[in-house]
Amino acid sequence: MQAFLVIAVVVGLHIPLGDYLARQLDGGRHLKIERVLYRVCGVDPDREQDWKHYLLALLAFTVMSIAALFALLVGQGHLPWSRGIGGMPWRTALHTAVSFTTNTSWQNYVPETGTGHFAVMAGLGVQAFASAAVGICAALALIRGLVRHGTEELGNFWVDLIRTIGRVLVPLAVVAGLLLIGLGVEQNLGGNHTITTLTGAQKTLIGGPVGSWEPVKLFSGDGGGFFNASSAHPFENPNAVSNLIEIVLMLLVPTAFIRTFGRMVGSLKQSWTLLAVVGILFGLLLLAASLAQHSTHSPVAAAVGGQYEGTETRFGVPGSTLFGVSATASADGAGGASYDSFSSLGGGVLLAAMMLGEIAPGGTGSGLYGLLIAVLIAVFIGGLMVGRTPEYLRKRIGLGEMRYVVMYALVAPTVILVCSAVSVGLGQDGAADMGNAGPHGLTELIYAYTSNTQSNGSAMSGFNGATDFHNGLMVVAMLLGRYVPIAFILALAGRLAKQRPGVVTAGTLRASGVNFITLATGAALILALLNFLPALALGPLAEGLM
């Protein structure tokens, strides 16, 4: 019932939100405040960029963001509202700066004792907006590449960035923040409070700007928690109603952007087709995780009626499972339970959701362009099956286009498997940080590098990533996993934009309908299985059969 309610709300809200996104991000006049920002930054908002200049601007913004956040974290002890917390060690600060700039938000520190209020608001919070906007900008460029003909221009990165943050993300954060604060999420600038419990023990409660941070971390795909327990903490997620709202927030913007895609390409049939693919994939993941978490193959699980270890007791197995699948399928990575304590097959489903490319519905912007990669592979296969040049939205998908598609598809598995292999191969420097031996320890390790590469940020807590070795290797994984695919997406968009429109004939493969939905869903699943089935067999599948 919870799942049906969440899906109904997301599907209902994605229509007005998706239409709003299309109106605000697809052309139109510049607002007065936006023109002021353009003048301050020395940007000509009416000058569009080709894919190379668009990518250069995106990477320049990323480098500046990493440097600014790194400096803030190292020097936070000298800033207001630091709660007496000193600066981070430079290795941890570098990892954290890269993590939040890439929209990963893997936290190799304890949030309660690692960051002050100012660092959260001016550092991590700002990057939650910015990193989400960067993903949307890349997706907008790809959409324009599919829509435009005979041009090299894909828009202006700075215009897309400012409009996405100012017109979409900030208003959404205000509305959602007020809603969550009204439901009991903490919001103040207080410090630590020591209280005496009913048993006479002393307990320290930490105050902070949680209510303004919580919605941003959810709808932006950021996922980093103000507390170490993330959204399993009652100050972040106080009751069952807030739990469902937080799940909706994780899924809403990526799903709405599919509607935006349909509006911008002038075919809502395409958006409903993509939404059907997303719905099938999400449904399969949720069904598999629910069956795994409700299994009673062990005496303890049989006695209590399910896999309750690590489950947030306020929400039960259904609420915790729904939250976990939504967090990993949406690239958000927030923790609504202890994912390391999920059953072996249940944790394997969360891992598979990330390995799928986080396209069900994926991250803000990144979910859409990852989904379109799966669609282009389906179009290419389908076109060859009917003996015609593959086309999508009247654009030919030939050798040059497929080169970028294939390279995009190979980035994640290459980085994940190589980093995992390096960690295992280096013994004491890498594998020793696995919390458990055997298949479960390997699952924890692969989960960590899948989460970092796919910009998810969720973790199995048994794995210790807070070492110099993993701090450095994770930085490499996050940068490669985020920006190499974006480079291929922009290069693909530039190549598509140059094409002249093709002619639709009776023999052209229809990129809609039941047959195409089945083909696209199958392409996404088979691609993930071919890349990761051996790793899954050695980890969660082996553990589940023990």
Side-chain angles (χ1 to χ4, degrees), residues 306-388:
Q307 302 288 337
Y308 276 87
E309 181 185 349
T311 297
E312 176 50 50
T313 54
R314 292 171 298 140
F315 310 138
V317 171
S320 297
T321 304
L322 178 59
F323 196 105
V325 171
S326 301
T328 49
S330 69
D332 186 80
S338 175
Y339 298 151
D340 202 19
S341 295
F342 269 44
S343 66
S344 54
L345 296 180
V349 173
L350 304 186
L351 178 58
M354 294 186 290
M355 289 177 168
L356 193 60
E358 293 180 328
I359 58 175
T364 51
S366 61
L368 177 66
Y369 61 68
L371 181 61
L372 287 175
I373 289 295
V375 167
L376 292 180
I377 292 174
V379 167
F380 187 76
I381 295 173
L384 296 180
M385 290 172 64
V386 299
R388 288 186 55 86

Side-chain angles (χ1 to χ4, degrees), residues 301-545:
V304 299
Q307 302 288 337
Y308 276 87
E309 181 185 349
T311 297
E312 176 50 50
T313 54
R314 292 171 298 140
F315 310 138
V317 171
S320 297
T321 304
L322 178 59
F323 196 105
V325 171
S326 301
T328 49
S330 69
D332 186 80
S338 175
Y339 298 151
D340 202 19
S341 295
F342 269 44
S343 66
S344 54
L345 296 180
V349 173
L350 304 186
L351 178 58
M354 294 186 290
M355 289 177 168
L356 193 60
E358 293 180 328
I359 58 175
T364 51
S366 61
L368 177 66
Y369 61 68
L371 181 61
L372 287 175
I373 289 295
V375 167
L376 292 180
I377 292 174
V379 167
F380 187 76
I381 295 173
L384 296 180
M385 290 172 64
V386 299
R388 288 186 55 86
T389 301
E391 294 183 359
Y392 184 63
L393 298 178
R394 302 174 66 193
K395 294 294 182 75
R396 296 183 306 279
I397 311 301
L399 176 61
E401 291 75 22
M402 286 305 299
R403 184 181 293 116
Y404 292 121
V405 170
V406 171
M407 288 191 290
Y408 175 99
L410 289 176
V411 171
T414 301
V415 175
I416 292 168
L417 297 178
V418 168
C419 288
S420 300
V422 168
S423 294
V424 173
L426 290 182
Q428 293 301 315
D429 292 325
D433 299 309
M434 296 189 300
N436 299 274
H440 189 71
L442 182 62
T443 300
E444 292 174 337
L445 178 67
I446 296 174
Y447 192 104
Y449 281 98
T450 302
S451 179
N452 277 263
T453 303
Q454 298 286 41
S455 300
N456 186 272
S458 64
M460 289 188 169
S461 56
F463 176 80
N464 177 26
T467 65
D468 290 346
F469 174 83
H470 288 298
N471 270 334
L473 191 57
M474 285 178 175
V475 165
V476 174
M478 287 185 288
L479 291 174
L480 293 178
R482 176 70 164 178
Y483 298 109
V484 175
I486 285 180
F488 291 141
I489 285 295
L490 294 178
L492 174 63
R495 187 176 181 89
L496 291 171
K498 292 180 182 179
Q499 291 189 23
R500 297 293 179 183
V503 178
V504 178
T505 66
T508 302
L509 177 69
R510 291 178 56 218
S512 61
V514 175
N515 290 339
F516 186 77
I517 291 171
T518 304
L519 181 61
T521 305
L525 291 171
I526 292 172
L527 189 64
L529 287 175
L530 289 176
N531 287 325
F532 295 112
L533 184 58
L536 291 171
L538 293 173
L541 293 179
E543 183 185 6
L545 296 175

